[in-house]
């Protein structure tokens, strides 16, 4: 069976087992409930956490090594400037489109009309840093600390500088360049090996999640849940297909077939950061995007490009306004589009961060941040779906930028064989 089919099977089986364990937990004194509790709190917890940790441990070394390779191959050339420019413009435009789609759908569906206020959960609105602070914090004073803290934007800046310096240092830098190229190969092989564990890891993550939170909460917020999912579907399938076709002239069907493993990883971990090694592997080895583009667009996208998150924020803003009986003006809608687009830049791709930056959006249009308590109960499930769209966007824009630069290997992109490309060492 292909890797993506095995991961999908792991997910479905995990969700079913989780649902079963939740049923068993309804009889607290039974043997089944005790066994279920042990499975959920110990076995699934350990395997799931080890799986996510094994992905995360590769993020910093891979991001650094891969981007140094990419930047040292391009140097501070006009091409690098072009790639950076195109990437950032695409990220911003597509996020603005995503919020607009969300606002349109939310106004058609009216998810917040008739919602009971007085949410059960409390939400602690954390302080969001200002744009000035954000800009200053992108430049590291200590690269080792940036790596220890996993600060993606700081590592990107340091790797770009290192790469450019390597490019300029000519003969003297050759051994270091070779070292980085070889390290890059080694880490990619590790990613490939670890991807084989995904079906088991995904099974445990899903079983634990469904056993713990269940899906009943969705019923109370069915319209909100449905509106976000519809927005994600429209953006992830229709808008991305159109962009791929119009800007890169590549078949969306082939694209979606190739990116499946990255989407499944994103869905089960709810973290673009943790999925980054797989996203990079998929863009280079299955989509045929050259390392010079992928090593820049993918890590930057994991932090800056969050269309799925922006869609949730658009729908959530309308939902909260309706639930509190407040009206959003046209100016308010524009402010939502601008703030949600900018908020996605500063947020790291980790679970639940979309809710934190939602505070920024709500405050911008004068809505109560406490409204987030209404939707917090089902956010984890939506987080999974929107992270898949976030990661899909990173793959779409890598493909488009690579194609526009003549750096897309069509033979790899169009490969239709059923052969599992993830055989160890390939
Ligand atoms: N979990 C999302 C991501 O990692 C961010 C969010 O929407 O909370 O991309």
């Amino acid at each position: 069976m292909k890797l993506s089919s095995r991961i999908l099977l792991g997910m479905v089986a995990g969700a079913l087992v989780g649902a079963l364990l939740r049923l068993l937990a309804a009889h607290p004194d039974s043997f089944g409930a005790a066994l279920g509790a042990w499975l959920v709190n110990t076995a699934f917890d350990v395997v799931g956490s080890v799986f996510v940790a094994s992905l995360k441990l590769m993020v910093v070394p891979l991001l650094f090594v891969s981007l140094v390779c990419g930047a040292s191959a391009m140097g501070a050339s006009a091409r690098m400037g072009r790639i950076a420019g195109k990437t950032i413009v695409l990220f911003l435009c597509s996020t603005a489109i995503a919020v607009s789609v969300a606002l349109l759908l939310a106004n058609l569906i009216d998810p917040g009309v008739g919602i009971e206020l007085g949410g059960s959960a409390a939400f602690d609105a954390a302080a969001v840093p200002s744009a000035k602070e954000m800009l200053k914090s992108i430049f590291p004073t200590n690269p080792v600390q940036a790596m220890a803290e996993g600060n993606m934007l700081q590592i990107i800046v340091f790797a770009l500088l290192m790469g450019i310096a390597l490019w300029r240092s000519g003969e003297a830098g050759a051994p270091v360049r070779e070292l980085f190229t070889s390290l890059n190969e080694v880490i990619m092989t590790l990613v490939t090996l670890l991807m084989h564990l995904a079906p088991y890891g995904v099974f445990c993550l899903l079983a634990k999640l469904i056993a713990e939170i269940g899906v009943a909460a969705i019923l109370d917020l069915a319209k909100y849940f449905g509106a976000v999912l519809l927005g994600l579907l429209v953006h992830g399938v229709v808008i991305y297909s159109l962009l791929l076709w119009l800007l890169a002239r590549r078949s969306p069907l082939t694209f979606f077939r190739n990116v499946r493993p990255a989407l499944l990883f994103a869905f089960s971990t709810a973290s673009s950061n943790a999925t980054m090694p797989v996203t990079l592997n998929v863009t280079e080895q299955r989509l045929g995007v050259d390392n010079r583009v992928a090593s820049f667009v993918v890590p930057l996208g994991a932090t800056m490009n969050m269309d799925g998150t922006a869609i949730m924020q658009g729908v959530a803003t309308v939902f909260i306004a309706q639930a509190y009986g407040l009206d959003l003006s046209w100016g308010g809608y524009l402010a939502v589009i601008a703030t949600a687009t900018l908020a996605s830049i500063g947020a790291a791709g980790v679970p639940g961060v979309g809710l934190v930056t939602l505070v920024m959006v709500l405050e911008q249009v004068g809505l109560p941040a406490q409204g987030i308590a209404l939707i917090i109960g089902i956010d984890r499930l939506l987080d999974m779906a929107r992270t898949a769209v976030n990661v899909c966007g990173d793959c779409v824009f890598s493909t488009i930028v690579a194609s526009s630069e003549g750096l897309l290997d069509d033979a790899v992109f169009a490969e239709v064989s059923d052969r599992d490309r993830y055989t160890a060492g390939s």
Side-chain angles (χ1 to χ4, degrees):
M1 227 194 268
K2 281 190 294 182
L3 180 70
S4 44
S5 312
R6 290 207 306 273
I7 302 177
L8 196 61
L9 198 67
M11 265 169 59
V12 175
L16 290 177
V17 168
L20 188 74
L21 293 180
R22 201 172 164 77
L23 286 180
L24 287 178
H27 309 280
D29 297 327
S30 65
F31 170 73
L35 177 71
W38 179 82
L39 281 174
V40 172
N41 297 323
T42 310
F44 294 163
D45 188 34
V46 170
V47 180
S49 306
V50 169
F51 169 63
V52 176
S54 68
L55 284 172
K56 283 189 186 161
L57 74 89
M58 290 182 294
V59 171
V60 170
L62 182 61
L63 159 58
F64 181 61
V65 171
S66 173
L67 190 50
V68 169
C69 287
S72 69
M74 270 188 299
S77 58
R79 176 174 250 177
M80 182 187 251
R82 258 199 332 264
I83 291 180
K86 283 179 192 170
T87 306
I88 291 171
V89 168
L90 281 170
F91 281 173
L92 293 179
C93 291
S94 81
T95 309
I97 296 177
V99 196
S100 312
V101 168
L103 291 176
L104 193 76
L105 284 175
N107 274 296
L108 289 176
I109 297 176
D110 286 339
V113 173
I115 288 288
E116 295 276 322
L117 282 182
S120 47
F123 183 77
D124 196 11
V128 181
S130 68
K132 178 182 138 198
E133 288 304 317
M134 240 161 62
L135 204 65
K136 271 174 29 185
S137 69
I138 291 177
F139 292 85
T141 47
N142 179 347
V144 179
Q145 188 182 6
M147 290 187 200
E149 289 171 354
N151 187 323
M152 303 273 270
L153 289 179
Q154 290 193 351
I155 305 173
I156 290 176
V157 169
F158 182 57
L160 283 175
L161 293 175
M162 273 288 286
I164 293 171
L166 263 183
W167 173 72
R168 292 183 69 92
S169 52
E171 266 309 294
V176 181
R177 260 198 307 276
E178 267 169 37
L179 175 72
F180 271 96
T181 312
S182 145
L183 265 176
N184 195 28
E185 284 296 315
V186 174
I187 303 178
M188 270 295 183
T189 308
L190 184 60
V191 177
T192 305
L193 284 175
L194 285 174
M195 282 169 78
H196 285 286
L197 299 181
Y200 312 102
V202 164
F203 171 85
C204 292
L205 286 179
L206 263 272
K208 181 168 159 33
L209 183 78
I210 300 293
E212 279 177 355
I213 66 170
V215 284
I218 295 176
L219 294 180
D220 300 335
L221 291 170
K223 268 176 137 186
Y224 167 73
F225 195 83
V228 177
L229 279 192
L230 188 64
L232 293 175
L233 215 66
V234 169
H235 194 75
V237 178
V238 182
I239 306 278
Y240 282 163
S241 297
L242 277 174
L243 288 177
L244 271 171
W245 181 245
L246 293 176
L247 301 178
R249 295 271 155 210
R250 295 300 190 290
S251 150
L253 281 181
T254 315
F255 171 86
F256 282 111
R257 196 193 57 224
N258 285 343
V259 295
R260 252 181 333 203
L263 302 190
L264 295 173
F265 268 77
F267 185 83
S268 23
T269 59
S271 166
S272 321
N273 278 14
T275 310
M276 205 207 74
V278 181
T279 318
L280 205 53
N281 186 298
V282 162
T283 34
E284 288 185 15
Q285 299 190 6
R286 293 176 66 112
L287 293 174
V289 175
D290 190 281
N291 170 266
R292 282 170 283 178
V293 172
S295 69
F296 179 72
V297 181
V298 168
L300 202 65
T303 1
M304 274 187 60
N305 181 46
M306 296 194 182
D307 293 356
T309 304
I311 285 175
M312 175 281 283
Q313 293 180 337
V315 178
T317 310
V318 174
F319 171 84
I320 290 171
Q322 290 177 342
Y324 280 86
L326 302 167
D327 267 336
L328 277 177
S329 61
W330 277 106
Y333 284 121
L334 288 180
V336 173
I337 296 176
T339 326
T341 306
L342 295 177
S344 72
I345 298 178
V350 294
V353 78
L355 280 191
V356 178
T357 47
L358 179 58
V359 175
M360 219 158 125
V361 181
L362 293 176
E363 279 174 353
Q364 192 65 37
V365 287
L367 290 173
Q370 288 311 317
I372 294 181
L374 297 171
I375 51 174
I376 208 165
I378 54 164
D379 192 65
R380 175 67 195 202
L381 294 167
L382 289 176
D383 197 1
M384 297 159 79
R386 67 181 185 248
T387 307
V389 172
N390 291 346
V391 166
C392 187
D394 302 340
C395 298
V396 167
F397 299 122
S398 305
T399 309
I400 292 176
V401 173
S403 148
S404 74
E405 288 290 318
L407 292 174
L408 188 83
D409 187 338
D410 271 304
V412 177
F413 183 86
E415 193 179 335
V416 282
S417 104
D418 250 6
R419 176 173 65 85
D420 183 354
R421 291 182 238 207
Y422 292 105
T423 42
S426 67

